[in-house]
Amino acid sequence: MDPVIVVGAGPVGLTLALALARHSVPTVVLDEGPGKDEQRPARTVVLREDTAALVERLCGVSFGGPDTGARWGGWRSMRRKQVMRQLTFSDEMPSPLHVPQHVLTGALRDAIVDERLVKVAVESKLDTLEQDASGLTAHTRGPKDTWWRGSYLVGCDGPRSTVRKLLDIRFPGRTAVERHAVAALRTELPWPGEALLHRSPPWPGGGPEVTARPLPGGVWRVDWLLPPRGDLVTPDALVSRVRETLSGWCGATPPYDLLDTGVHTVHHRLARRWRSGRCFLAGDAAHLLGTVGTQGLDEGLRDADNLAWKLALAWHHGASGALLDSYQTERRAAVAARLRAADQSLPVLRGGGGLRSYVPGAARGQDALLTDGHVGRGQLGAPGAYADSPLSPGSSDSTVLVATEPGAPVIDVAVTAPDGSVVRLRDRFGLSQFLVVLVAPGTVVWDRRHWMKAGIMPRLAAAVTALPAPAELLVAESYPGAAAHTVLLVRPDGRLVTALNGVRPAELYAAAEAALGKAVRETPEKGRAKGAPREDGGPKDAGAAPGKPGSEPDDARAADRTAHETPGSDAKGGRAAGGEPSTGPSSEPKKPSP
């Protein structure tokens, strides 16, 4: 079968290619650039716990070292001269990961060098895209005009996406919602290792808001909030801001080395459709956000994580159209909720003056909103749950409530793997189609080979083997909010499908089928899904379909679900991110026959 074509070699495109490779799916990454990243110290990204774990897992490296990014020791927010809030990060409250974007992209590219299933074609600008019943054909311009044949295509080519334009998908929203002057500088500040949000700083010309976030090597990224449509920021004006800010924080301007500067403009946009037949949008090609501390790259990486396992099922087994449609339904709704939360917060946070500023507690409430956005909590910062996902199996008398709601990311607890080793639950994401986690207190004191044949384990192991997609059985000493013998079904992207009160083979099977986007077919035996194991753990129905997920043919219709959209007009122009050179599948400027 033809490879998946990924357009754009930025962090989202490279992450998607590596995630697909984990599922044994070949990809071709089309990179418009020369395969080298410009090193911009002021261009950094902040990743939350789940997205940082995703890229670390795919790259096989640990970020947060002397050269690979910073994990903050704490967070403090100030208003004028008063400290409003202080947080100390710990295992219970993990720190965000702050990393230069070229370091993140470089680590992803290094991982791709050793990945035989991923090829990167540099200086390959997409200009033509055609779909047919069995796949699609794309044409790129560059040193060699090339036709590419693929099974699916994902546009990860940024806010001015060529893929989105070729698919004629609108990109409505708001322009210049926020604007920031940015500087990366090496200096010493009074709170080493802590990030700072300073609102209404007391020195002249301090502006409405300044943020300082540490990087390795004594480097800080400093952001000054600017009027949305103010004057251009000249180099002299920016140097004056640096001196005034450092003096205000330190009492006098300390020695500093200015490494990089820039102006960052934030837009809010949401593509109307994220799927059109065999083509998909992800990352900035599908959405733009980033005000009040939110991070657009976080959502782009979650796009890649959500889409990878679904495309893998389609590539290997011909997944149902419902499964592929669910990418747009889940991810677009999650990003739309984030945009709504940011849009609703902006008038409160940026309105200024008026009676609102005299309401007791208003300043602390505003500070709480901004803190949530920056550190990854609440509606502005925490990863959204897919509460209304079409892949949800629904509830029954056997489903139970745990600390994680269905559709939300599971908590990273310690689990015992099939080889008997104790690992983190997140380490198992993406290695199988499903994870089945049994909560069994006390098992940690026994060797796995002893309890695998005792109690409920044989029955649960048989039920896991009979699931309609490959699954791995793990055992946890505990899980927040879960009683003993609770069974959790987890998707490859770490989202909870359901929690059951004990071993329920038929319900576990039905939940797995629902998570695969397959309709549950009723049978005379108490509504049991066809092909599901009986409650006694016996064999599946005679004549049931083989245990391969998604046997239905792909529905190539474009999905156009309704969701929140902000008013505005379509974006213009576009350029994909950089990539790494590799040999492409074809260099002949001749279109292949269908």
Side-chain angles (χ1 to χ4, degrees):
M1 191 171 177
D2 295 316
V4 173
I5 298 175
V6 176
V7 183
V12 175
L14 297 175
T15 296
L16 177 60
L18 285 170
L20 286 169
R22 275 214 164 190
H23 291 285
S24 301
V25 177
T27 60
V28 173
V29 180
L30 303 182
D31 176 13
E32 181 182 329
K36 295 181 180 179
D37 286 321
E38 182 182 6
Q39 296 193 7
R40 294 290 308 274
R43 190 179 185 188
T44 65
V45 295
V46 178
L47 301 181
R48 314 304 186 198
E49 182 187 9
D50 62 317
T51 52
L54 170 64
V55 295
E56 287 182 333
R57 189 165 64 248
L58 294 175
C59 293
V61 301
S62 179
F63 290 94
D67 301 316
T68 58
R71 294 188 185 273
W72 309 330
W75 166 270
R76 68 174 61 202
S77 57
M78 299 177 64
R79 184 177 176 87
R80 298 185 178 92
K81 296 182 180 181
Q82 180 182 3
V83 176
M84 304 291 290
R85 186 178 302 264
Q86 282 187 273
L87 301 174
T88 300
F89 295 113
S90 62
D91 291 342
E92 291 72 30
M93 184 187 293
S95 165
L97 172 66
H98 188 203
V99 57
Q101 184 162 321
H102 68 268
V103 171
L104 173 61
T105 308
L108 291 166
R109 286 192 176 143
D110 289 345
I112 280 178
V113 168
D114 298 324
E115 182 49 69
R116 62 180 180 80
L117 290 176
V118 181
K119 295 183 178 181
V120 182
V122 299
E123 296 182 337
S124 299
K125 179 175 175 56
L126 179 72
D127 63 1
T128 302
L129 176 59
E130 298 176 0
Q131 301 189 60
D132 54 58
S134 60
L136 50 86
T137 303
H139 181 264
T140 56
R141 292 186 288 106
K144 294 182 179 179
D145 287 0
T146 309
W147 289 99
W148 306 84
R149 184 67 182 172
S151 55
Y152 297 92
L153 181 143
V154 186
C156 306
D157 48 343
R160 298 179 177 179
S161 169
T162 300
V163 173
R164 191 182 63 242
K165 293 175 184 177
L166 291 174
L167 296 174
D168 195 25
I169 297 175
R170 293 191 60 219
F171 198 37
R174 299 169 57 195
T175 300
V177 180
E178 282 188 352
R179 199 165 62 107
H180 297 261
V182 182
L185 50 96
R186 183 176 287 108
T187 190
E188 291 187 9
L189 294 180
W191 44 86
E194 292 187 6
L196 169 75
L197 170 68
H198 199 163
R199 304 187 71 202
S200 304
W203 53 86
E209 184 177 298
V210 187
T211 306
R213 290 171 286 193
L215 287 162
V219 177
W220 295 79
R221 169 170 165 166
V222 183
D223 293 56
W224 294 266
L225 180 64
L226 302 172
R229 291 178 175 84
D231 297 333
L232 293 176
V233 180
T234 65
D236 289 343
L238 189 50
V239 169
S240 296
R241 281 182 181 271
V242 170
R243 291 180 175 276
E244 292 167 357
T245 301
L246 294 181
S247 177
W249 284 336
C250 303
T253 304
Y256 70 92
D257 184 11
L258 187 59
L259 305 176
D260 190 21
T261 62
V263 174
H264 173 55
T265 303
V266 177
H267 311 286
H268 278 183
R269 293 188 180 275
L270 186 65
R272 288 194 180 275
R273 292 177 290 134
W274 291 25
R275 181 191 178 196
S276 179
R278 291 177 172 269
C279 298
F280 301 81
L281 300 177
D284 286 352
H287 51 77
L288 294 176
L289 68 162
T291 59
V292 294
T294 58
Q295 297 291 324
L297 182 58
D298 257 347
E299 298 299 345
L301 295 176
R302 290 174 187 139
D303 294 344
D305 201 20
N306 184 289
L307 183 57
W309 69 276
K310 298 173 182 178
L311 279 181
L313 280 169
W315 196 88
H316 286 293
H317 307 293
S320 68
L323 180 65
L324 295 178
D325 283 350
S326 72
Y327 165 68
Q328 171 177 294
T329 307
E330 292 178 342
R331 290 301 307 143
R332 192 171 187 272
V335 174
R338 183 84 76 232
L339 283 169
R340 276 196 301 272
D343 285 344
Q344 291 165 2
S345 302
L346 278 169
V348 176
L349 297 169
R350 308 300 189 218
L355 293 175
R356 188 181 291 114
S357 62
Y358 296 96
V359 176
R364 292 193 178 276
Q366 294 172 12
D367 176 77
L369 279 173
L370 285 167
T371 298
D372 283 351
H374 280 282
V375 305
R377 305 188 308 187
Q379 285 187 314
L380 285 174
Y386 306 144
D388 299 320
S389 169
L391 307 183
S392 298
S395 61
S396 71
D397 293 339
S398 300
T399 58
V400 293
L401 297 177
V402 296
T404 303
E405 62 182 284
V410 293
I411 298 168
D412 187 28
V413 297
V415 293
T416 302
D419 62 0
S421 62
V422 177
V423 297
R424 304 302 301 183
L425 180 55
R426 278 205 183 103
D427 293 340
R428 315 308 291 181
F429 294 172
L431 296 178
S432 186
Q433 291 304 332
F434 290 112
L435 299 177
V436 177
V437 182
L438 171 67
V439 180
T443 49
V444 72
V445 302
W446 302 98
D447 192 277
R448 181 181 174 93
R449 68 176 181 271
H450 297 308
W451 47 256
M452 274 301 293
K453 296 181 180 180
I456 64 174
M457 286 302 295
R459 187 162 169 247
L460 179 57
V464 170
T465 302
L467 290 179
E472 183 178 50
L473 176 57
L474 305 167
V475 177
E477 270 286 298
S478 63
Y479 189 88
H485 297 170
T486 298
V487 175
L488 310 177
L489 180 64
V490 183
R491 296 184 348 181
D493 56 355
R495 302 283 174 152
L496 180 67
V497 178
T498 190
L500 302 173
N501 61 347
V503 181
R504 309 282 181 174
E507 293 191 27
L508 190 64
Y509 187 97
E513 274 218 319
L516 294 171
K518 303 170 70 175
V520 178
R521 297 172 293 279
E522 298 296 320
T523 66
E525 185 181 338
K526 298 180 181 180
R528 179 165 54 91
K530 183 177 181 181
R534 298 195 303 266
E535 283 295 343
D536 61 2
K540 296 186 288 185
D541 297 308
K548 292 185 178 181
S551 58
E552 294 88 353
D554 172 35
D555 176 6
R557 295 173 303 170
D560 194 1
R561 312 255 187 236
T562 57
H564 163 76
E565 292 169 6
T566 50
S569 58
D570 292 352
K572 308 290 183 182
R575 182 186 185 277
E580 185 169 352
S582 180
T583 303
S586 172
S587 60
E588 298 179 5
K590 181 182 292 185
K591 182 177 178 180
S593 57

